[in-house]
Amino acid sequence: MFLCKKTWILTNREITWSTLKKALSTMADSVLHGYDDTQVALMGEECILIDRNDNVTGSASKKTCHLMENINKGMLHRAFSVFLFNSDGHLLLQQRSQAKITFPGHFTNTCCSHPLHTPAELEDNGAIGVKRAAQRKLQHELGIDPKQLSVDDLHYLTRVHYLAENAPDPGTWGEHEIDYILIAQKDVDITPTLNEVESYTYVSQEQLRKMIEKSQEGNLLITPWFRLIADKLLMGWWNNLHNIQQCRDSQIHRFCDQ
């Protein structure tokens, strides 16, 4: 397991005046008082609102999408989860930074985030918009150069619908997403951003099973979406990395009642 060097990156997108105003407004919000300034500013990003069938219905700030008061009314947004394997077949996990507003300190899959409500990341053709978002966040969180991991290296497999309340402090924040699953197998250089990633590690299937056992005993934190995917879907993909496209389906796997 590797600790991250201290690097401060807000975003690799051009910051427009409109984006800056939204970020400043978000930072003044009382519900975000006391959280890390960089993470608070990111709560101003515009996520993609969708219906249960993943049709785009509009946009809302990351903060709005993650408030349980809105989730309990049915608000749903689009997300993605990347599972990056190296040439030895080991899966790259990250431990979320303690600065994160939701699920701080939790271990999770390689990268989990949201496409933004922009023309490039809204594009549906072959999930190309989601892949662009994943490439952007892999660079932001883990320092993975897009030249080392192109959108063509990211294989879209399926979608997962889930709902989870924040931990360890439930009540205010949560997740309600349709999560696009992206798989890649590539050896890459990693330079994590401390404000995003506490640590990272590559694991075998057996090592992951032991981590899940520790989490069941209360000795390790794992994000609920990663736990669901690991329990229900991951091993089938992991055992077919040599022919991953055969695992693709058009379903939305429902792991919640909403």
Side-chain angles (χ1 to χ4, degrees):
M1 190 174 296
F2 303 87
L3 295 179
C4 310
K5 71 178 186 180
K6 189 168 184 177
T7 308
W8 297 92
I9 302 173
L10 175 59
T11 179
N12 61 356
R13 298 180 299 121
E14 180 181 356
I15 299 178
T16 64
W17 174 237
S18 174
T19 302
L20 181 58
K21 285 195 294 183
K22 286 179 182 177
L24 291 172
S25 175
T26 300
M27 291 174 75
D29 196 325
S30 61
V31 75
L32 292 166
H33 179 73
Y35 288 107
D36 175 83
D37 286 346
T38 300
Q39 293 297 323
V40 168
L42 289 170
M43 285 299 230
E45 292 184 326
E46 286 289 303
C47 295
I48 301 168
L49 294 181
I50 51 176
D51 63 19
R52 290 185 83 257
N53 295 315
D54 195 30
N55 299 306
V56 177
T57 61
S59 69
S61 70
K62 184 178 175 183
K63 183 205 83 170
T64 300
C65 290
H66 289 81
L67 284 170
M68 282 305 301
E69 64 181 281
N70 297 323
I71 291 171
N72 289 333
K73 296 173 185 175
M75 184 172 283
L76 176 63
H77 63 277
R78 188 174 287 172
F80 65 81
S81 283
V82 176
F83 294 78
L84 175 60
F85 298 85
N86 63 17
S87 57
D88 293 325
H90 291 170
L91 174 62
L92 176 60
L93 305 183
Q94 65 158 278
Q95 182 185 18
R96 291 164 65 86
S97 168
Q98 295 293 342
K100 300 289 279 188
I101 294 170
T102 57
F103 302 98
H106 286 58
F107 281 89
T108 195
N109 50 286
T110 310
C111 181
C112 346
S113 191
H114 316 89
L116 301 181
H117 196 270
T118 63
E121 295 188 6
L122 279 164
E123 189 174 345
D124 280 337
N125 184 28
I128 185 63
V130 173
K131 290 181 181 182
R132 288 172 181 147
Q135 193 181 47
R136 169 176 58 82
K137 290 301 291 185
L138 284 163
Q139 184 174 32
H140 174 208
E141 295 184 5
L142 292 162
I144 297 175
D145 192 325
K147 294 177 182 177
Q148 289 192 343
L149 192 69
S150 71
V151 291
D152 292 333
D153 293 320
L154 294 164
H155 300 281
Y156 163 60
L157 291 192
T158 191
R159 292 166 290 178
V160 169
H161 179 192
Y162 78 95
L163 188 156
E165 198 164 355
N166 190 40
D169 298 313
T172 303
W173 305 105
E175 295 282 6
H176 187 207
E177 303 178 330
I178 289 182
D179 197 14
Y180 281 61
I181 304 301
L182 302 174
I183 303 280
Q185 186 169 22
K186 201 82 180 287
D187 292 326
V188 297
D189 297 320
I190 300 170
T191 309
T193 302
L194 182 61
N195 189 257
E196 292 288 332
V197 177
E198 182 99 351
S199 66
Y200 69 95
T201 186
Y202 283 95
V203 296
S204 65
Q205 291 188 16
E206 182 58 29
Q207 287 170 325
L208 178 57
R209 289 190 186 98
K210 289 179 179 178
M211 289 179 72
I212 291 172
E213 287 175 5
K214 285 184 179 180
S215 74
Q216 292 170 335
E217 296 165 356
N219 298 320
L220 190 76
L221 296 172
I222 293 180
T223 59
W225 63 88
F226 180 45
R227 177 66 180 276
L228 276 170
I229 293 167
D231 286 347
K232 298 178 182 295
L233 297 168
L234 177 58
M235 293 307 167
W237 306 330
W238 203 330
N239 292 330
N240 286 282
L241 291 176
H242 60 286
N243 190 19
I244 195 63
Q245 284 302 116
Q246 73 175 9
C247 299
R248 183 171 178 173
D249 64 50
S250 59
Q251 295 183 57
I252 299 175
H253 297 267
R254 307 283 183 189
F255 297 141
C256 66
D257 295 331
Q258 290 207 26

